[in-house]
Amino acid sequence: MNRSIHHFQDVHAHAASVAHWSQLLYSQLAAGALESSLQQLSSEHCHAFRERINKRVVQQGEAPRDSVCFAIPIFMPGTVRMQGRDADGSSLYFLRGGEEFMCHMPTGMDLLSIAFDRAFFDATLREVPFADEIARLLRQPVIKVPAQRFVECRQRLLAIFSEALVNDEMSGTPARQDELEHALLGELLQLVMDPACDRHQRSGSSTQDFIVEKCHRMAMAETMSAPSVMELCERLQVSRRTVQNSFRAVADTTPLSYLRSVRLNGVRRALMGSRAGDLTVGDAAGQWGFFHLSHFAAEYQELFGELPSQTPRAAKWHDA
């Protein structure tokens, strides 16, 4: 079993270190120096990680293929929007392998995520009662769970994960790893078998989440000529007030601040992924629609707590 514990001062380095999730993009939305931790363990049929981030972030990507993925909040100091649904402190999150997702996480979020190989999950599910009903329930990305059952399950899952992270005996042999995998999955299946779970099949994302996601994706796609808020309103055929209210409800910020932060995160990823000799700060900024460098540098420093010239760059290549 592979185990690791890391700490970061950058959300992009954090996202890049999450094993098996190759399509992850995190963007920091709240200003200030970021601190995060990432604890991971991987076995033959399971990958689990606990992440804590001290700033508001938006996460997007694609769940690992041929997997099923659960997430359970350990500490949730604010509202989470997962796949366009509201999630409270007693919500279980679920993604199917290959499913694209966008999740808005509040400042200080602490989350435990567990992904299982689909074949292992299916074989285990067939052995439990009410398998068909559980499968139907897991069509939802957010599952509301009775609060007390949720707290009890969370405590047991966290205890199992924490013990495996530090105890060599618990994760050393194939038999113990198999025991660990079944313990984690068994807790989750017991949770969703509770008849008090909210089994109401909900419709797709809200209009507000749809607006924020569309604006986010347009800003990511049209980097050099970033659309203004008014242009976005015209394309979506909604009023400025509707857009303003959507961003406030989903991300607790304004459209201008959100989209600028997304673009600044794009510059930061470009800088961290290149050598200084291959891409200048000015060129990276221009690629994301920032052409007034002094204003850009001030906005960058306000968001990340450092100037773009201070951002670590990719290691230099050395001749063999």
Side-chain angles (χ1 to χ4, degrees):
M1 175 174 288
N2 296 320
R3 297 173 291 178
S4 65
I5 301 175
H6 292 101
H7 299 273
F8 302 93
Q9 285 76 49
D10 180 88
V11 75
H12 309 297
H14 178 120
S17 299
V18 179
H20 308 297
W21 291 69
S22 59
Q23 303 296 323
L24 280 184
L25 282 181
Y26 288 10
S27 292
Q28 178 181 340
L29 300 180
L34 182 136
E35 294 182 358
S36 70
S37 66
L38 178 64
Q39 303 173 332
Q40 301 187 85
L41 59 86
S42 297
S43 60
E44 183 179 0
H45 303 298
C46 173
H47 170 245
F49 66 96
R50 180 182 182 182
E51 57 181 349
R52 286 172 276 190
I53 306 175
N54 74 332
K55 296 295 178 184
R56 175 178 283 275
V57 299
V58 55
Q59 304 177 349
Q60 62 182 126
E62 180 183 294
R65 294 188 176 275
D66 300 318
S67 299
V68 294
C69 310
F70 296 86
I72 189 166
I74 305 303
F75 176 66
M76 191 177 73
T79 302
V80 172
R81 305 290 282 239
M82 174 68 176
Q83 298 295 74
R85 280 81 163 179
D86 282 327
D88 60 20
S90 299
S91 296
L92 178 69
Y93 315 146
F94 182 78
L95 292 170
R96 294 173 293 276
E99 183 178 0
E100 292 187 0
F101 70 93
M102 181 171 288
C103 187
H104 290 266
M105 296 294 194
T107 295
M109 182 70 176
D110 184 353
L111 190 72
L112 177 64
S113 301
I114 310 173
F116 299 96
D117 288 347
R118 184 59 189 258
F120 171 79
F121 173 82
D122 288 344
T124 305
L125 181 62
R126 286 194 293 268
E127 298 175 358
V128 302
F130 313 112
D132 290 342
E133 187 173 350
I134 292 173
R136 285 192 295 271
L137 179 64
L138 293 179
R139 294 171 185 169
Q140 303 181 63
V142 176
I143 302 166
K144 301 295 180 69
V145 180
Q148 187 57 41
R149 284 283 294 112
F150 185 87
V151 169
E152 294 167 355
C153 178
R154 179 176 63 195
Q155 290 174 339
R156 289 192 292 268
L157 284 171
L158 191 56
I160 295 168
F161 174 82
S162 300
E163 178 71 9
L165 199 64
V166 299
N167 190 333
D168 292 336
E169 292 184 0
M170 186 171 180
S171 57
T173 67
R176 296 307 299 271
Q177 291 186 36
D178 182 71
E179 181 181 339
L180 170 66
E181 293 165 350
H182 279 91
L184 291 170
L185 182 52
E187 287 290 345
L188 291 164
L189 292 177
Q190 285 293 325
L191 183 63
V192 295
M193 282 191 332
D194 192 310
C197 284
D198 183 0
R199 283 169 162 72
H200 178 65
Q201 292 293 327
R202 304 181 186 280
S203 58
S205 62
S206 71
T207 300
Q208 291 178 328
D209 288 274
F210 173 81
I211 288 171
V212 172
E213 181 169 348
K214 289 291 288 185
C215 290
H216 183 117
R217 294 190 183 281
M218 281 189 273
M220 293 286 288
E222 303 172 34
T223 59
M224 293 188 67
S225 57
S228 68
V229 175
M230 286 309 300
E231 289 173 331
L232 292 171
C233 292
E234 292 173 1
R235 293 191 198 182
L236 295 173
Q237 297 184 331
V238 295
S239 69
R240 188 181 185 93
R241 179 183 293 275
T242 298
V243 173
Q244 294 275 2
N245 291 341
S246 296
F247 276 88
R248 183 60 65 188
V250 173
D252 193 28
T253 189
T254 65
L256 182 62
S257 177
Y258 182 99
L259 297 173
R260 182 174 60 237
S261 295
V262 167
R263 291 162 53 223
L264 288 168
N265 277 270
V267 177
R268 189 169 180 83
R269 279 191 294 269
L271 292 175
M272 295 182 68
S274 64
R275 297 177 298 170
D278 294 335
L279 182 68
T280 68
V281 169
D283 287 343
Q287 290 176 358
W288 284 89
F290 296 101
F291 301 107
H292 196 300
L293 291 185
S294 61
H295 289 172
F296 157 74
E299 292 170 343
Y300 189 101
Q301 185 177 32
E302 180 182 4
L303 181 59
F304 299 117
E306 66 181 21
L307 291 167
S309 59
Q310 298 171 319
T311 296
R313 306 299 296 270
K316 294 182 178 179
W317 294 102
H318 295 282
D319 293 334

